[in-house]
Amino acid sequence: MVQKSTHTAEYAAMLRLLVERRKSLRLHQADVAATLPFKQPEISKIERGERRIDVVELRMICTALHMSLPEFVAKLEERIAALHATESAADARAAEPSAKAR
């Protein structure tokens, strides 16, 4: 069964990056919402992964967070690459025979 994209580690990384960016700017959800066609409760739902966003909405949010969409995507790609590298290393360790089995 195919996993919904909102339930993936990659989507969670995207949301964490949005929240981290907002907090680094010392903005509240209401501050971000004031510049968008969303209200604060929608920003909260987006950040919690309860409301899915499309690329146009992501671009608007990035603009509200004083960053371009390409800049955000570059940072997200770095996060996802690191995530996959960590998963690959964990998989490799799990595949190794344990010291007790030797």
Side-chain angles (χ1 to χ4, degrees):
M1 187 163 119
V2 177
Q3 188 177 22
K4 289 187 177 185
S5 64
T6 55
H7 300 288
T8 65
E10 292 86 353
Y11 197 83
M14 181 187 78
L15 298 179
R16 277 193 305 276
L17 190 56
L18 286 173
V19 172
E20 288 170 13
R21 177 66 178 184
R22 177 179 58 77
K23 289 182 177 181
S24 76
L25 295 171
R26 294 189 164 99
L27 295 174
H28 297 279
Q29 292 173 343
D31 300 324
V32 175
T35 66
L36 298 170
F38 311 127
K39 293 187 170 31
Q40 180 276 327
E42 285 184 90
I43 298 298
S44 178
K45 287 179 181 180
I46 290 166
E47 289 184 357
R48 290 192 322 263
E50 294 176 8
R51 182 190 181 285
R52 187 175 171 77
I53 57 174
D54 63 30
V55 71
V56 174
E57 292 170 327
L58 177 59
R59 184 178 180 274
M60 289 189 305
I61 293 168
C62 287
T63 300
L65 297 175
H66 310 289
M67 99 188 301
S68 69
L69 180 60
E71 181 184 0
F72 179 82
V73 170
K75 289 178 186 268
L76 179 59
E77 287 294 336
E78 290 173 11
R79 291 274 179 104
I80 290 172
L83 178 70
H84 289 297
T86 302
E87 289 173 353
S88 295
D91 290 344
R93 283 192 303 275
E96 292 176 2
S98 69
K100 290 182 181 180
R102 293 180 194 167

